[in-house]
Amino acid sequence: MLWHRTQIVKPFLFKLIFLALFLLNLASPEPLPAAVKEVKIGVLAKRGPEICLAKWSPTARYLTDKIPDRRFVIVPLDFEYIYNAVEAQEVDFILSNSSFYVELEHFYGANRIATLKNRIFNRNHTTFGGVIFCRRDRQDMRRLQDLKGKTFMAVKETSFGGWRMAWCQMLEKEIDPYKDFKALDFGGTHDAVVYAILKGVADAGTVRTDTLERMDAEGKIKIDDFYVFHEHDGEDVHLPFLHSTREYPEWPLARVKHTSAQLAEMVATALLQMPPDSEAARTALCGGWTIPLNYQPVHDCLKTLKVGPYRNLGRVTVADVIRNYGYWLLAVIILFIAMVIFSVSNLRLNKILKASHQQLQSQIEERKRAEQALQNAHDQLETHVQERTKALSLSEQKFRRIFEVSQDMIVATSEAGLILDINPAGYKMLGFKQIDPIAIPSTRFQDFLTEEDDWRAIGTALAARGFISSMEIKLKRNDGAVMRSLISGSIDRGLNGKIETLHFVVKDIERRKLMENQLAQADRLASIGQLASGIGHEINNPLGIILGYTQLLIRNEDPETESYADLKTIEKHVKNCQLIVNDLLNFARNSQPAKEPVNINDLIDDVLEFILHHSDSKTCEVLRRYDLKIPLVSLDEKKIKQVILNLVMNACHAVSDKGEIAITTGADSRADQVYIKVSDTGYGIESKNLTRIFDPFFTTKTTGEGTGLGLSVSYGIIKNHGGDIQASSRPGHGSTFTVRLPVTSPETGTS
């Protein structure tokens, strides 16, 4: 009973110790740089996790030193968890006994890259075996046959050197451990089995070779206290330590399926180059590593035991028969049933024939009618299937056509957001020039959202209501541009009720938003214009009176007096005020311009000539890039000159004496417009101010250098001409103002 309780508690204590050591191993090193990747080597802890970490951690450090940008760590694994660790991809390489490797190779695609050179007695060995032993004072056990009726202990049912080698050896001696032993227990580790035999908990046991020698060298036991059975058959075994079985290839290091072949090659190369006197080799008690050996003897052993990949070898079950011969069995059963039915029908038919030939004729007629009805039903069903198939095909074509020609993005994604399908409009909206079936379907839809919270909001709404409708989001195009959009979507659930796909329709509202902003700007300017008109008329009359009286006083003053200078100052500022009021009135008026056909290039030359000879501002260098074939434009020449003058003077102020100004003209035949671009290399306009530059009284100049009305008046003039004015700027790279005007016909003079 004591041993049974120990067996129950031991795996739990092993896992607690393993968890503590593993966390300590992860916490001890310095934090990894972002570029260093961690590589985990799972090692079968045959003697417990403490010994495992102490033995193999130097090997991990050796690989870390040899392979750049990688840090290798040891993960001790017990006999039960090793399969789960490989299946869950918790480790990148696996070091285990040969039996485990053969199973992991078969079930999970593991592939050996090197074989361990076990070093003992100053010699390297690439093979090992199993040891069947008892206490030397047990004189009643000297042959394997003496083990019948005795209690026996092994390491684990899955342990190769600690059980399966001995099991195979006993079967060759016609001993069935599961039937012939009085009791068969498993100690969990090799050391635990040795201690159990030494204490008399079990009569005999088995561990892998070199376990007794190592424990004796460590001072844990005296090897002379044990008797080893030596009755193996077959080829000669060249092992320098006690053994009872054939020799099998040593532990291999294998890469698991998800580990890259390139990394595996680097690890194999480093291991094969490991010096025998290195710290890693000494601590691991090995002489380094060699190329992977042939593990066919391990396959032969497992095949004999019918375990691992060969657990069902030779078994023929009902399920196997059904799986391999199911169709034939079904055909035989159907044939048998048909024969039985046919025989019974014949018997009944014979009775009917004997009873009445007339009754037989009646049945024949009835059968013909039934066959005809069945044929008619078959024809109708076939016709219905054809019609239904045609209808489904037409429906699929219709919806596919809608999907293809829709101007809105239609996209289907997985629950996690992975794009499964997207229509051509979606490619165009996301900034792809052509349909790329590889680029987008391998991307998540949320990667095109500028705000991470938008995808969470979409998921929350879908989870709560099952759909979303006209939710405003911002999409990030492939070229980096941001596009405001409306998204609607719903959930498509499968027959089991689970979410299969998410369907979305995305509408581009960027143009609508721009129109809304323009309407808001127009409303704001109209309101300010009405206010400016009222204020201008109220102020203009007093200013005229002040200016008149000031000029009368100036006539009576000597120009050399201080009073004369003061009156001239008043006169100057009153005139400035009148100019501002006139700008306000011009801004407020919605008068139709007096248009006539004008050549834009000549108009610009007149403005630049005026600036050169009459402006009191500093001289600016202007590059003229004219389209000499530009058509005539019907416009109010005086007002358009005012716009050009204002834009050029603003550019001069922006570039100071170090920059450059360029004026470009051209024609857009598709839009039936001409355009004028005034560009400068000044500092530019901050993005927060770019939407306000056409507002009256808004200016970024210092006090006294501008009224803030120039661009707002220009905006009104261009709008009255049926055109448009836009500004673009990048701080530190200058600004560009673009004026677009409708083209006029030279014959008619109409636009």
Side-chain angles (χ1 to χ4, degrees):
M1 292 298 292
L2 176 61
W3 174 251
H4 179 67
R5 288 194 298 270
T6 304
Q7 285 291 90
I8 295 175
V9 175
K10 189 170 183 181
F12 176 72
L13 293 177
F14 183 90
K15 292 177 180 178
L16 285 180
I17 295 172
F18 158 69
L19 179 60
L21 289 173
F22 181 60
L23 292 176
L24 182 61
N25 187 41
L26 291 178
S28 59
E30 294 295 327
L32 290 176
V36 177
K37 296 182 179 179
E38 187 176 74
V39 180
K40 298 179 181 179
I41 303 177
V43 181
L44 179 64
K46 63 175 183 174
R47 299 178 66 190
E50 304 95 330
I51 297 178
C52 176
L53 285 173
K55 183 177 181 180
W56 295 106
S57 292
T59 298
R61 292 193 293 270
Y62 169 80
L63 291 175
T64 301
D65 294 337
K66 292 293 183 181
I67 300 176
D69 300 330
R70 297 289 193 279
R71 188 177 78 85
F72 291 79
V73 296
I74 300 299
V75 181
L77 302 172
D78 63 10
F79 287 88
E80 297 174 353
Y81 191 70
I82 190 170
Y83 299 105
N84 297 334
V86 175
E87 182 178 12
Q89 299 184 357
E90 296 178 3
V91 294
D92 303 293
F93 294 90
I94 190 73
L95 177 60
S96 65
N97 67 40
S98 307
S99 172
F100 270 118
Y101 163 69
V102 169
E103 294 190 47
L104 295 174
E105 177 188 50
H106 178 80
F107 293 113
Y108 305 111
N111 189 12
R112 63 188 183 275
I113 62 174
T115 297
L116 180 69
K117 292 182 181 179
N118 191 19
R119 187 170 184 83
I120 189 167
F121 302 143
N122 294 322
R123 293 180 60 187
N124 298 331
H125 300 277
T126 57
T127 58
F128 74 110
V131 181
I132 305 173
F133 64 98
C134 65
R135 283 173 39 174
R136 186 170 293 279
D137 58 2
R138 291 295 300 268
Q139 298 297 325
D140 55 331
M141 292 181 289
R142 287 297 179 266
R143 298 172 59 253
L144 291 178
Q145 292 292 336
D146 297 335
L147 297 179
K148 291 184 177 181
K150 302 295 193 297
T151 59
F152 194 87
M153 180 176 289
V155 179
K156 283 280 186 180
E157 280 194 285
T158 53
S159 174
F160 189 51
W163 170 236
R164 288 180 173 176
M165 290 184 185
W167 181 12
C168 183
Q169 186 66 34
M170 292 176 189
L171 288 180
E172 292 180 357
K173 296 298 181 181
E174 298 181 353
I175 301 174
D176 188 346
Y178 291 95
K179 294 180 180 179
D180 297 334
F181 287 167
K182 180 179 180 180
L184 176 61
D185 293 319
F186 297 91
T189 65
H190 293 260
D191 292 23
V193 173
V194 175
Y195 289 138
I197 304 306
L198 186 63
K199 295 177 182 179
V201 176
D203 296 324
T206 182
V207 294
R208 69 161 276 161
T209 53
D210 80 13
T211 300
L212 295 177
E213 287 84 356
R214 292 190 190 279
M215 293 182 68
D216 178 71
E218 294 169 358
K220 296 181 179 179
I221 62 168
K222 293 181 179 179
I223 198 170
D224 294 335
D225 292 339
F226 298 95
Y227 173 80
V228 175
F229 298 85
H230 190 77
E231 297 182 29
H232 66 80
D233 298 327
E235 71 282 355
D236 294 336
V237 178
H238 304 286
L239 294 174
F241 24 71
L242 299 174
H243 59 277
S244 305
T245 69
R246 292 183 175 88
E247 60 184 351
Y248 296 89
E250 264 291 356
W251 286 25
L253 179 69
R255 72 177 180 94
V256 297
K257 190 173 183 180
H258 71 271
T259 303
S260 67
Q262 181 181 6
L263 178 60
E265 183 179 353
M266 290 190 293
V267 172
T269 302
L271 291 177
L272 293 177
Q273 295 175 352
M274 178 185 289
D277 57 349
S278 64
E279 179 191 4
R282 294 196 310 272
T283 308
L285 301 178
C286 72
W289 298 78
T290 186
I291 59 174
L293 300 183
N294 181 13
Y295 284 78
Q296 185 59 41
V298 183
H299 283 274
D300 296 338
C301 176
L302 300 184
K303 188 181 297 184
T304 300
L305 301 178
K306 295 182 179 180
V307 295
Y310 307 101
R311 61 169 60 94
N312 296 321
L313 182 65
R315 296 182 184 177
V316 179
T317 63
V318 175
D320 295 331
V321 174
I322 293 175
R323 182 170 58 252
N324 296 322
Y325 305 101
Y327 293 112
W328 289 103
L329 290 174
L330 180 61
V332 170
I333 293 173
I334 293 175
L335 181 61
F336 176 75
I337 294 174
M339 292 178 64
V340 170
I341 294 174
F342 182 74
S343 299
V344 172
S345 299
N346 280 340
L347 290 175
R348 294 179 62 186
L349 183 60
N350 288 333
K351 290 180 181 180
I352 294 173
L353 285 173
K354 292 178 181 179
S356 173
H357 178 71
Q358 184 178 4
Q359 186 177 0
L360 177 60
Q361 291 295 329
S362 177
Q363 289 182 356
I364 292 175
E365 293 295 331
E366 183 178 355
R367 183 173 180 180
K368 288 182 178 180
R369 289 193 298 269
E371 289 178 351
Q372 185 61 41
L374 182 61
Q375 183 63 37
N376 294 337
H378 178 269
D379 294 341
Q380 292 177 359
L381 179 60
E382 185 174 357
T383 302
H384 181 71
V385 169
Q386 292 176 352
E387 293 175 352
R388 184 61 176 168
T389 302
K390 182 178 180 181
L392 288 175
S393 178
L394 292 175
S395 177
E396 181 180 358
Q397 292 177 4
K398 179 178 68 176
F399 285 108
R400 171 52 64 176
R401 182 63 178 167
I402 294 174
F403 179 82
E404 295 291 342
V405 304
S406 174
Q407 297 303 306
D408 295 332
M409 180 195 302
I410 301 176
V411 59
T413 74
S414 65
E415 184 179 4
L418 185 67
I419 296 177
L420 305 177
D421 196 7
I422 186 170
N423 67 340
Y427 282 94
K428 183 177 180 182
M429 289 178 64
L430 294 178
F432 290 88
K433 295 183 179 179
Q434 58 184 359
I435 296 177
D436 188 349
I438 298 178
I440 290 186
S442 61
T443 310
R444 299 183 307 167
F445 180 69
Q446 54 265 39
D447 294 337
F448 292 102
L449 300 179
T450 60
E451 302 294 337
E452 296 182 359
D453 293 338
D454 286 347
W455 181 250
R456 287 193 288 269
I458 291 172
T460 302
L462 288 176
R465 296 177 296 176
F467 69 93
I468 56 173
S469 179
S470 299
M471 176 180 174
E472 186 169 338
I473 60 172
K474 290 183 179 180
L475 289 179
K476 180 173 60 178
R477 290 164 50 91
N478 187 44
D479 57 8
V482 176
M483 180 178 64
R484 290 169 288 188
S485 308
L486 290 180
I487 185 170
S488 300
S490 62
I491 296 175
D492 183 11
R493 299 184 183 273
L495 297 177
N496 56 3
K498 294 184 178 180
I499 297 176
E500 289 188 350
T501 55
L502 305 178
H503 298 279
F504 298 105
V505 177
V506 183
K507 180 181 292 292
D508 180 6
I509 61 170
E510 186 65 28
R511 186 181 298 274
R512 191 179 78 183
K513 285 292 185 179
L514 291 176
M515 293 179 64
E516 290 177 354
N517 292 338
Q518 291 176 357
L519 290 174
Q521 173 75 359
D523 290 342
R524 184 164 63 252
L525 293 179
S527 299
I528 296 175
Q530 293 176 1
L531 177 62
S533 177
I535 295 176
H537 285 293
E538 293 297 330
I539 295 177
N540 206 25
N541 291 332
L543 287 177
I545 295 172
I546 295 172
L547 180 61
Y549 278 103
T550 302
Q551 290 175 344
L552 289 175
L553 292 174
I554 290 175
R555 292 179 182 178
N556 300 324
E557 287 290 337
D558 184 359
E560 301 298 328
T561 62
E562 184 177 350
S563 298
Y564 181 85
D566 293 338
L567 290 172
K568 291 298 287 184
T569 301
I570 295 173
E571 180 186 30
K572 176 183 176 181
H573 286 288
V574 170
K575 288 182 178 180
N576 287 338
C577 289
Q578 283 185 328
L579 289 175
I580 294 174
V581 170
N582 288 333
D583 285 341
L584 283 173
L585 293 176
N586 289 332
F587 173 76
R589 293 191 186 100
N590 191 21
S591 60
Q592 291 297 324
K595 298 181 180 180
E596 59 182 5
V598 177
N599 185 289
I600 290 295
N601 297 338
D602 295 339
L603 184 147
I604 296 174
D605 286 337
D606 291 344
V607 173
L608 296 180
E609 190 70 18
F610 173 80
I611 294 175
L612 180 64
H613 293 93
H614 298 86
S615 177
D616 58 353
S617 61
K618 52 187 170 295
T619 302
C620 301
E621 180 181 356
V622 180
L623 299 179
R624 308 181 193 190
R625 300 168 181 169
Y626 294 163
D627 181 358
L628 300 180
K629 297 182 180 180
I630 193 169
L632 298 179
V633 182
S634 179
L635 49 80
D636 188 327
E637 182 176 356
K638 181 178 179 181
K639 291 187 176 182
I640 297 301
K641 283 183 176 180
Q642 181 180 353
V643 173
I644 301 301
L645 177 64
N646 183 50
L647 295 179
V648 174
M649 293 304 296
N650 284 347
C652 287
H653 293 158
V655 300
S656 183
D657 57 350
K658 299 179 181 179
E660 183 180 274
I661 300 172
I663 301 179
T664 305
T665 62
D668 186 351
S669 58
R670 291 177 300 176
D672 199 22
Q673 291 179 333
V674 297
Y675 60 84
I676 306 167
K677 292 185 179 181
V678 180
S679 305
D680 64 71
T681 57
Y683 175 75
I685 305 172
E686 299 288 346
S687 57
K688 63 180 180 180
N689 297 327
L690 199 58
T691 58
R692 301 181 57 199
I693 58 175
F694 294 111
D695 291 348
F697 304 111
F698 178 80
T699 180
T700 58
K701 299 177 182 178
T702 58
T703 303
E705 291 188 5
T707 63
L709 288 171
L711 287 178
S712 58
V713 171
S714 299
Y715 181 88
I717 292 172
I718 297 302
K719 286 298 181 180
N720 285 337
H721 279 74
D724 188 24
I725 180 171
Q726 295 177 343
S728 61
S729 179
R730 289 174 56 197
H733 295 80
S735 305
T736 298
F737 285 82
T738 303
V739 176
R740 293 183 179 273
L741 295 168
V743 176
T744 183
S745 172
E747 291 78 14
T748 62
T750 59
S751 60

